Amino acid sequence: MSLKKISNSQPSKFEFSKENLLKVEKEIKKYPPDRKASAVIALLYLAQNQNNNWIPLEAIKYISRLLSMPYIKVYEVATFYSMFNLSPVGKYFIQICTTSPCMIRGANKITDVCKKLISKKQNELSENKLCSWTEVECLGACVNSPMMQINQDYFEDLDQIKASEIIQSLLNDNFPKPGSAKNRKSNAPEKGKTTLL
Ligand code: FES
């Protein structure tokens, strides 16, 4: 599991766009007025989407004011969950599951590919600034391990060759087709159905 990287280069200001302010209002209304802090995850997620997939510290301060929460409480949430990025992640953000089932089936070979093609250390941008990668805990697709998530999509049943092809394609600014590298449908057996024929 990686330590959360906080960007050294921070914007001096953050505000939600008009469109996102309407969404913020909707999120806050889901909770009683004295429980509006419950909207914190939704607001952090909106901030991340608005800011090229990472959350600047100014956004954390801004959200703490919106929700009348101490800054440190919002900071704690933002640093706890791996879904929140606190430094720029590039257009293609690759999260590799390195929990036991994926690790046993070769997740370390996928991280080796990332080290070779993207950056030696996780959470650093590739030379062309298009990609970055990080290790994460179980992403819930253990049965199709090893796997990685790229932006919102899952790539499963990987090996070193397939992972290299996918990452090379991203570095060329092409998003490949997500899903199983073995063309499995969901988590069906590789050779097709064996029961309920
Ligand atoms: S262990 Fe990798 S997806 Fe669950």
Side-chain angles (χ1 to χ4, degrees), residues 97 99 101-102 138-142 147:
C97 169
T99 301
C102 281
C138 180
L139 288 169
C142 331
M147 60 78 66

Side-chain angles (χ1 to χ4, degrees), residues 20-190:
N20 275 341
L21 274 175
L22 293 175
K23 292 183 188 167
V24 165
E25 215 176 292
K26 215 168 145 193
E27 288 298 331
I28 292 177
K29 274 194 191 145
K30 288 180 183 169
Y31 306 99
D34 60 339
R35 294 281 185 273
K36 63 181 180 178
S38 304
V40 67
I41 288 185
L43 267 56
L44 284 169
Y45 192 61
L46 281 173
Q48 178 161 283
N49 282 347
Q50 183 179 306
N51 193 61
N52 294 326
N53 211 13
W54 73 283
I55 303 172
L57 296 176
E58 278 304 311
I60 297 180
K61 288 180 195 158
Y62 176 76
I63 289 171
S64 71
R65 288 193 295 274
L66 276 180
L67 297 178
S68 312
M69 287 173 76
Y71 167 68
I72 189 64
K73 292 258 180 203
V74 185
Y75 184 89
E76 281 169 358
V77 175
T79 50
F80 179 78
Y81 291 104
S82 63
M83 67 189 275
F84 295 129
N85 307 311
L86 302 185
S87 62
V89 292
K91 183 173 175 185
Y92 304 114
F93 179 44
I94 301 158
Q95 300 176 71
I96 301 143
C97 169
T98 51
T99 301
S100 312
C102 281
M103 188 52 89
I104 289 166
R105 288 179 53 88
N108 57 338
K109 291 189 181 146
I110 317 294
T111 54
D112 285 348
V113 170
C114 291
K115 284 178 193 164
K116 190 171 158 211
L117 298 180
I118 300 175
S119 57
K120 277 197 187 133
K121 289 189 191 154
Q122 47 186 322
N123 298 312
E124 283 183 2
L125 291 170
S126 58
E127 242 170 57
N128 66 2
K129 313 256 185 272
L130 280 178
C131 297
S132 67
W133 67 280
T134 193
E135 291 181 25
V136 290
E137 298 298 325
C138 180
L139 288 169
C142 331
V143 80
N144 292 1
S145 62
M147 60 78 66
M148 59 189 174
Q149 179 178 348
I150 304 174
N151 296 348
Q152 307 299 329
D153 288 294
Y154 276 19
F155 292 75
E156 301 162 350
D157 292 324
L158 298 171
D159 59 19
Q160 214 162 358
I161 296 171
K162 191 65 199 172
S164 301
E165 283 170 16
I166 291 169
I167 291 166
Q168 202 56 67
S169 170
L170 296 173
L171 288 167
N172 292 331
D173 206 6
N174 291 318
F175 195 82
K177 186 170 168 269
S180 163
K182 292 179 180 166
N183 290 322
R184 282 207 275 171
K185 194 166 189 289
S186 303
N187 50 15
E190 283 177 34

